């Protein structure tokens, strides 16, 4: 294992120290716990939005705390959920009188702890909390009729943060911010491909193996099994398979609009991400699906995994408005149109 | 070689196609050559700034073309210089009546071609061109008295772009923009560490080998030999050695101010970059050197090399003003202070 780190036990906290030292104007922590991160700005009357989950996915989650997106987040150890107490701490700090929305990925540990924190916030603090669980990985099995969403949450949560954060910034109330978050979550689909494994620092060896000439389509961001493992193919073949899988899962009509996120998982260069983005644009153009915005870069990673994911957010006028709104966080800045 | 690409011959042009499809409002090309990239906005009377060099370093060079930074750039194949004709094409397009400044790294191919382009621009087009060559890698030998700079240009060129771009945006004239670029270039120092090699797509195998438990301090961004190869050490030990080397090369007094860039080389996760940033902050604080701004992320890469570099820009009030100015490019956005 070759990592620029010190004692693996200090990996997460030293990373957080670096973040606070680098972004002192935007980010701080609460409850004397480095892992309870909040914005330095609190706006009375605004719905607070919190997220959280395991470390190892930077810029998720920390990087999206800031103007127009999130108000706070908790992180656990690498690939481990934070605790309910930590989430409660963040909830108390970011509540500005309008309640708090939790947005997080569809993982059992996170669900358990966020649920408990929501209950404690209500019972002990009188803070109204609503929750939206994002799960949009088309490589994981869809829910059966009447069941809860069974899909993994992956990079598409970026779009949920963006739309919900914009709604909260416009002082929409908690139920409306929740509705927007749910709408974004239900309109996004993601599919990934992994080329290499990644190593959790405390574990010290890769979570799985993959041959030098192989890839795994649909692998999750913690190494969860994908749809198929096979020989490496060309970028265009891989992209075609991924986009086809997404489009078979959510119906687009000619003339529909979409937002695209091509997301590097950690070790894959921007060059390759743009080669894939190019093919995504071409496929969508052939189908007469208009790309309203395209984001390319590392938005949700798996430590140093090589590979990438493609997310499509199906847009209507309402979601477009929220997607286009300005944002300013340590890792995501978008200007007002025409600014 | 495991890359998300198609035919290696098309690697650069397909990457460029992806960039133009993703950033249509900000970037376009000129002369029917995808590799001659220019901003979509031309401002009459502003000094044009151009850069260029080999591909494989994204977001360098393309990513810094935009408001408050650069006006155009040319790229060659991976790690290959673009041609003088391409540079001339960009020069003609971005000249807005106030002349053009070339800022590029200290590599023979680039120097040869930029020199020739400058001469052609003057002789054939009557465009006044000035040049600033950035070379700040303290791991490469310094110039002897009276000689030209012999050091490699690496990530510190970001600061040169930022300061010169801000000066040009304020309508400073060509000689003044050149003076600011030279001042930034002479105040920046960089030192890097490589953990893995990278593979040029057309070549198909790594440019060098490095054992699983080894690192190379001071390696250049094309794999140029560093100062020493040794067993992996802790992040704090490595950071200490790198910062010490930088501070032995340029004098800082207690109370001086600096800007820091911790730059990932491609495959190194943000987590590790922040762990190193934390130690840089700590070392500078001990020496009573104030960090005015700190940037962490992938600013200048070596395809998928693992490792990072640390750059320090020594600041005075003038450089601080230019560094703090707003910028808006596909890869770098900074707001006006207080905006």
């Amino acid at each position: 294992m070759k990592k620029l780190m010190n004692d693996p036990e200090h990996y997460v906290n030293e990373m957080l120290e670096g973040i606070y030292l680098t972004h002192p104007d935007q980010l701080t922590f609460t409850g004397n716990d480095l892992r309870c991160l909040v914005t330095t700005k609190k706006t009375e009357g605004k719905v607070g939005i919190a997220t959280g989950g395991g470390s190892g996915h930077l810029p998720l989650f920390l990087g999206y705390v800031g103007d127009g997106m999130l108000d706070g987040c908790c992180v656990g150890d690498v690939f481990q959920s934070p605790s309910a107490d930590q989430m409660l701490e963040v909830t108390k700090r970011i509540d500005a009188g309008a309640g708090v929305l939790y947005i997080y990925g569809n993982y059992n540990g996170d669900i358990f702890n966020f649920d408990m924190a929501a209950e404690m916030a209500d019972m002990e603090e009188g803070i109204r909390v609503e929750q939206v669980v994002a799960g949009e990985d088309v490589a994981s099995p869809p829910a059966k009729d009447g069941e809860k969403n069974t899909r993994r949450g992956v990079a598409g949560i970026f779009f949920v943060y963006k739309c919900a954060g914009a709604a909260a910034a416009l002082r929409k109330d908690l139920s409306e911010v929740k509705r927007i978050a749910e709408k974004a979550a239900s309109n996004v689909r993601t599919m990934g491909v992994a080329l290499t494994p990644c190593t959790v620092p405390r574990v010290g060896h890769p979570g799985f193996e993959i041959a030098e000439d192989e890839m795994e389509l649909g692998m999750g961001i913690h190494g969860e099994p994908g749809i198929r493992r096979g020989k490496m193919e060309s970028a265009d073949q891989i992209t075609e398979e991924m986009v086809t899988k997404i489009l078979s899962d959510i119906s687009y009509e000619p003339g529909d609009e979409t937002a695209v996120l091509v997301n590097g998982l950690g070790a894959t260069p921007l060059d390759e991400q743009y080669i894939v983005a190019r093919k995504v644009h071409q496929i969508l153009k052939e189908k007469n699906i208009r790309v309203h915005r395209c984001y390319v870069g590392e938005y949700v990673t798996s430590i140093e995994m090589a590979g990438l994911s493609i997310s499509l957010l199906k847009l209507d006028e309402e979601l477009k408005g929220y997607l286009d709104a300005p944002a300013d966080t340590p890792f995501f800045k978008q200007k007002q149109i025409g600014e």
Side-chain angles (χ1 to χ4, degrees), chain A:
Chain A
M1 179 179 51
K2 219 170 185 180
K3 288 181 189 284
L4 287 162
M5 64 176 189
N6 301 298
D7 183 339
E9 297 296 316
H10 303 149
Y11 181 87
V12 171
N13 280 22
E14 290 183 349
M15 174 269 283
L16 288 165
E17 286 171 27
I19 285 186
Y20 293 119
L21 287 164
T22 302
H23 308 285
D25 298 338
Q26 292 180 285
L27 301 176
T28 187
F29 54 94
T30 185
N32 293 317
D33 184 344
L34 290 178
R35 298 179 181 204
C36 296
L37 183 145
V38 294
T39 171
T40 54
K41 298 178 197 167
K42 187 166 177 174
T43 311
E44 280 309 312
K46 191 185 89 67
V47 169
I49 305 181
T51 189
S55 293
H57 302 299
L58 279 184
L60 189 76
F61 302 87
L62 320 167
Y64 302 119
V65 173
D67 296 349
M69 291 188 83
L70 309 174
D71 299 282
C73 82
C74 300
V75 291
D77 256 325
V78 176
F79 295 177
Q80 300 290 326
S81 179
S83 73
D85 285 336
Q86 289 172 312
M87 290 166 184
L88 178 63
E89 189 60 46
V90 164
T91 307
K92 284 157 59 182
R93 171 71 170 258
I94 68 171
D95 176 53
V100 172
L101 178 67
Y102 294 163
I103 302 171
Y104 53 96
N106 196 11
Y107 296 96
N108 288 337
D110 294 328
I111 293 170
F112 179 83
N113 288 303
F114 270 104
D115 266 350
M116 194 184 298
E119 201 166 308
M120 291 191 292
D122 179 25
M123 306 278 282
E124 298 171 18
E125 311 290 336
I127 301 171
R128 190 176 152 215
V129 173
E130 294 283 353
Q131 304 189 57
V132 173
V133 180
E136 88 293 2
D137 187 343
V138 297
S140 52
K144 293 183 189 131
D145 282 347
E147 283 186 355
K148 279 191 178 173
N149 185 3
T150 50
R151 280 186 161 156
R152 293 188 290 260
V154 282
I157 201 168
F158 162 76
F159 286 129
V160 185
Y161 295 156
K162 180 66 194 70
C163 293
L170 288 171
R171 302 292 188 280
K172 302 293 178 187
D173 68 16
L174 182 57
S175 61
E176 177 68 0
V177 176
K178 181 185 182 187
R179 184 183 70 79
I180 296 302
E182 283 176 335
K183 184 172 174 179
S186 69
N187 277 280
V188 67
R189 295 291 185 281
T190 299
M191 170 93 178
V193 61
L195 307 189
T196 69
C198 59
T199 295
V200 174
R202 271 188 173 166
V203 176
H205 57 80
F208 57 93
E209 292 191 355
I210 185 163
E212 181 46 40
D213 60 346
E214 283 189 336
M215 61 175 179
E216 184 157 328
L217 273 150
M219 177 167 284
I221 56 171
H222 312 94
E224 295 91 341
I227 290 177
R228 73 173 183 89
R229 187 173 284 210
K231 295 287 177 198
M232 274 297 291
E233 295 171 8
S234 73
D236 283 2
Q237 286 172 308
I238 295 167
T239 307
E240 184 90 44
E241 182 168 347
M242 291 166 77
V243 175
T244 301
K245 178 81 181 160
I246 289 172
L247 294 178
S248 71
D249 200 272
I250 180 168
S251 76
Y252 277 86
E253 300 297 323
D256 280 350
E257 291 189 282
T258 191
V260 177
L261 170 62
V262 176
N263 170 59
L265 289 174
T268 286
L270 260 177
D271 294 2
E272 299 175 35
Q273 297 172 37
Y274 275 105
I275 288 170
V276 168
R278 162 194 141 276
K279 185 65 181 174
V280 175
H281 279 279
Q282 290 172 353
I283 295 168
L284 295 175
K285 189 171 185 187
E286 278 165 21
K287 298 184 185 297
N288 197 20
I289 298 169
R290 195 177 153 263
V291 177
H292 177 64
R293 281 180 183 267
C294 179
Y295 302 93
V296 180
E298 293 179 357
Y299 284 73
V300 174
T301 63
S302 299
I303 326 176
E304 77 284 6
M305 189 183 282
L308 52 73
S309 66
I310 298 167
S311 301
L312 298 187
L313 172 68
K314 190 172 172 178
L315 292 171
D316 61 7
E317 290 306 310
E318 183 176 53
L319 288 180
K320 264 168 73 174
Y322 290 123
L323 188 68
D324 288 346
D328 184 19
T329 78
F331 293 87
F332 183 72
K333 297 175 204 303
Q334 184 170 286
K335 289 170 90 167
Q336 186 89 46
I337 289 175
E339 193 183 323

